[in-house]
Amino acid sequence: MSDATHITDTYNPLEVERKWQARWDSEGTNTYTDAELRRAGVQGRPFYNLMMFPYPSAEGLHIGNIYAFTGADIYGRFKRLQGYDVFEPIGFDAFGIHSENFALKQGVHPMELIPQNIERFTRQLRRVGFMYDWNHTVDTTQREYYRWTQWIFLQLYKAGLAVKKEAPVNWCPSCNTVLANEQVVAGACERCGTTVEIRNLSQWFFRITEYAERLLNNLATIDWSETTKKAQENWIGRSEGAEIVFPVVSESANLENDDGSEVVRQAFRYFLTADQIVSRWQELEYTAIRVFTTRPDTVFGATYMVLAPEHPLVDQITTRERRKAVEAYRRKTAKKDLVTRRKGDKKKTGTDTGARVLNPATGKEIPVWIADYVLMEYGTGAIMAVPGHDERDFEFARAYKLPIVRVVALEGVGANEPMIEAYTGPGRLVNSGHFDGMEVDEARHEVTAWLAERNAAEPRVNYRLHDWTISRQRYWGPPIPVLYCDDCGIVPVPEDQLPVELPYIEDFKPDASGISPLARHREWYLTGCPSCGGVARRETDVSDTFLDSAWYFLRYPSAGNDRRAFEPSLTRNWLPVDSYIGGNEHAVLHLLYARFVTMALHDLEWIDFEEPFTRFRAHGLIIKDGAKMSKSRGNVIVPDEYIEEYGADTLRTYLMFLGPYQEGGDFRATGITGPYNFLNRLWDAVLGAEDRPLYPAVEQKLHATIRKVTEDVEALSYNTAIAAMMEYLNVVRAGGRTPERAAVEPLVILVAPFAPHLAEELWERLGNERSVFRSATWPEYDPAKAVADTVEFVVQVNGRVRARMQMARGISESDARDAALADPNVQRFLDGRQVRKTIFVPDRLLNLVAG
RNA sequence: GCCCGGGUGGUGGAACGGUAGACACUGGGGUCUUAAAAACCCCUGGCGAGAGCCGUGCGGGUUCGAAUCCCGCCCCGGGCACCA
């Protein structure tokens, strides 16, 4: 006797969903064994369907999580019904500051908190009916996982891609830790909103900048949402230009060396031409300042130079008379936080160092200033200022009465016409020696080449991207697997000693010292040196959470494997990921880091592909009453209530019906009744269906609907797919008629990705034994049957609709014209005029142009 | 400032350059009911009795025909931003 008999004949979503969730578990409908995973990867049609694994917050599953996962799950279920072996795993990104802060606030230890959260999340995820393979799941905080996170660190270390260096880094004074550039939004911590400070600390960096060019170029080869690609492109920020050298020639510069000896080289100045100094500055031992510019063509207009106040050469070149003023200015800028300093709209300030450099193009001496509008982090920390053709330089030159020279002019503009604003447009060079008259674009290369010949410049590509700081002075993360030995220096922990376990400590609260809480535990950090056997100290920083998530997709197929991070054969068969869906807020964080780690592992020959995600689609955000959901606004939606009242199938369908999946939508409680009614009506239609031949109009609509739904689901256009199914059901039930079984059975399959529990139940009630996802195949449509015999044909007069008539499909132009001309309304609007021209769009429209 | 999206009824949203407003929600009317709920049916962009006219942020243009393409603006959301 079937379970169906225990279930009422009116649609009761809770009953239905409970039944099918239990059955999926007991029959392993959604899961693979390791053997199956291996076999399917080789013999089957493997399809790796990935979604961004959640951070298991204490608040439980958020409606935004459900929205994201439902869209991805629908795609996975669709692919399974199309006959693919779909691997759809889920896991938990549970390390990180967020969990740690919450644990601190609640006074619970994260090692107790996180397992509870994960348990609750798991329960909620199961309740929504995702097709997850619960046999292959990860939790980044488990030693079985972070052991391999540490292993990846070691691989990068061995390849020279993980380096420890002292550098100015972003410090969040509230989280008490260093942040990556990507985690600083508008000068503030993306987590807590506190303004970040710059501290000079010795940190571990991943040299992602080594991969800047490839990270950029490969974007052309992957099928990703355009918005995401653009975000990465902007973040990498490639600029092409030149590095130009300006030798320091000020007479009184640098009067003493460190040892007190006189500096004599400046004396050459009086025996040498500017040209000689420029081309021989190295052998003459001139100090030179390098600048990066995207406009080498304007070098003749460089009337002064500006260094970032922190530039290392400032001390050396500043003249005695200017020393006090320069020191004062540097102190002032050091106090300013980066936010105010980076605000572009404030007044320009700066001060003269007294030093002079040679403009290598003009051979003239120009002054060197320091100003905080030049940033040490970008380029060389120094610029050649071309006030005539750069807005910032123009503003600065105005403020300090520095000379402004025009070097680019449009036709008809005099070379020495005074400038009232910086001109950044196209034109020809003027006041530029033998380059006068040359187009800007050509001059860019020619000027660089000319300077390069004289040893004063070289072409240069510059990136905005910085190396990825991965050290975190916090507790809740994987310890960085490195030791410090007085004799041997930095010693990586041998791979067979992994993991370096995160100890359970009570006092995991971070402080402002810049040192991790782990550093308070000698018993943990003091250990033996694996190299010399002496005493070594462990690194007490942990790694960034984003390293955990930069490789989790590699782990899923191999989850549980305790010999390897990822098994080569499984990886080869299942990766790269076929479809990845997630939020665009990770466009430059997770998605960039994951690409970097994958590329590095590829170069180290651990994997044979360099892009992890073949196709990526960003989904939209789900908002409430036009605003982002947040606790402070009090507009947070608790999904559980809706699941209790309408069931998971309705919630899933409703969320997808809200609007275009890739744009998001506004959650309105009243709207949920639409999809709920639809599922109810479908239920009734299936239960009341009769075995008899399809009515022709229904058959036509069926084929049209299969086509529409198939195309729309493939394009993630879920809202229109649902609308098409509703429309079809309206036809099937039109006028209260009894539906044909052959009309509703395919619809049950079409709806299955959206409302899987309901589909299972109806599939069973239609007499099928096994799960719809294991026995049904996605319906095919016949293009010939997908179109109706008659069409509503529109007749226009001069582009305006004047008649609509039912016509046979395929009607000829002349027949259509005859019918149109016979129409009294058409005649009325022609008003006796000649038809000069007719436009005929087959099966759609005829436009009579009268004049 | 630069780079992406987007702007369509009371609301969410549909529309290969070819019937603007599919599909829903809300609202209104009705059927059934002692009544209510549910369910079902009809109406629901504006003006107009109607024929029809007007309508897709604004102003131009291309076209037989523009929500859709082009030019110039305005507004909203997101990314980047003294990046040289």
Side-chain angles (χ1 to χ4, degrees), chain A residues 467-722:
Chain A
D467 279 338
W468 171 17
T469 329
I470 63 141
S471 307
R472 295 292 178 274
Q473 293 68 38
R474 299 285 298 222
Y475 168 67
W476 194 231
I480 293 173
V482 162
L483 302 168
Y484 302 98
C485 167
D486 285 341
D487 296 324
C488 313
I490 295 177
V491 182
V493 173
E495 286 178 24
D496 59 12
Q497 290 178 24
L498 295 181
V500 175
E501 251 184 276
L502 181 70
Y504 181 97
I505 60 170
E506 285 294 344
D507 56 334
F508 58 91
K509 191 175 176 163
D511 60 36
S513 64
I515 302 168
S516 158
L518 290 174
R520 297 193 288 254
H521 291 263
R522 287 171 60 90
E523 75 285 359
W524 180 76
Y525 72 71
L526 279 185
T527 184
C529 172
S531 173
C532 68
V535 177
R537 287 168 298 112
R538 291 189 186 282
E539 166 67 66
T540 54
D541 284 355
V542 299
S543 58
D544 185 1
T545 328
F546 280 100
L547 180 57
D548 306 333
S549 56
W551 75 281
Y552 77 109
F553 48 90
L554 289 169
R555 180 64 181 170
Y556 278 139
S558 307
N561 187 319
D562 58 5
R563 295 184 327 280
R564 285 189 165 118
F566 37 87
E567 199 187 300
S569 64
L570 280 172
T571 308
R572 202 165 36 246
N573 293 330
W574 286 94
L575 282 125
V577 169
D578 294 286
S579 169
Y580 195 21
I581 288 176
N584 219 13
E585 67 273 18
H586 288 116
V588 292
L589 286 157
H590 161 60
L591 286 171
L592 191 67
Y593 296 147
R595 292 183 62 215
F596 161 66
V597 168
T598 303
M599 258 177 218
L601 291 173
H602 166 264
D603 291 355
L604 296 169
E605 297 184 359
W606 286 105
I607 50 183
D608 58 6
F609 53 94
E610 57 177 68
E611 284 295 337
F613 316 121
T614 308
R615 167 168 135 144
F616 172 76
R617 290 290 178 273
H619 60 74
L621 220 58
I622 170 137
I623 57 172
K624 176 84 164 83
D625 307 321
K628 235 175 170 164
M629 271 179 253
S630 72
K631 263 194 275 183
S632 55
R633 278 198 194 84
N635 62 351
V636 176
I637 292 155
V638 184
D640 309 47
E641 295 170 10
Y642 293 94
I643 293 175
E644 278 308 305
E645 191 168 353
Y646 299 97
D649 283 336
T650 294
L651 181 65
R652 290 168 60 110
T653 310
Y654 170 61
L655 287 174
M656 295 302 107
F657 187 60
L658 271 181
Y661 184 57
Q662 301 189 51
E663 285 170 31
D666 202 332
F667 192 100
R668 289 163 310 124
T670 52
I672 199 166
T673 53
Y676 184 62
N677 287 342
F678 166 63
L679 296 184
N680 264 298
R681 286 152 52 85
L682 174 61
W683 174 279
D684 292 345
V686 172
L687 263 58
E690 270 177 13
D691 238 330
R692 66 186 152 77
L694 276 178
Y695 186 71
V698 173
E699 185 183 33
Q700 180 270 315
K701 192 69 180 168
L702 171 64
H703 284 269
T705 303
I706 295 169
R707 174 166 71 190
K708 174 93 177 127
V709 173
T710 307
E711 288 168 359
D712 285 356
V713 171
E714 184 58 52
L716 311 188
S717 182
Y718 297 140
N719 57 331
T720 52
I722 294 166

Side-chain angles (χ1 to χ4, degrees), chain A residues 353-389:
Chain A
T353 62
R356 299 291 176 263
V357 291
L358 271 188
N359 179 324
T362 62
K364 287 189 186 141
E365 287 186 23
I366 59 171
V368 180
W369 287 61
I370 57 171
D372 65 5
Y373 82 91
V374 173
L375 308 173
M376 196 59 222
E377 316 90 80
Y378 186 76
T380 61
I383 60 155
M384 63 175 206
V386 185
H389 305 281

Side-chain angles (χ1 to χ4, degrees), chain A residues 331-342:
Chain A
R331 272 197 305 275
K332 206 176 81 192
T333 28
K335 264 190 279 173
K336 278 189 213 171
D337 56 77
L338 264 204
V339 189
T340 39
R341 194 171 155 189
R342 279 183 180 153

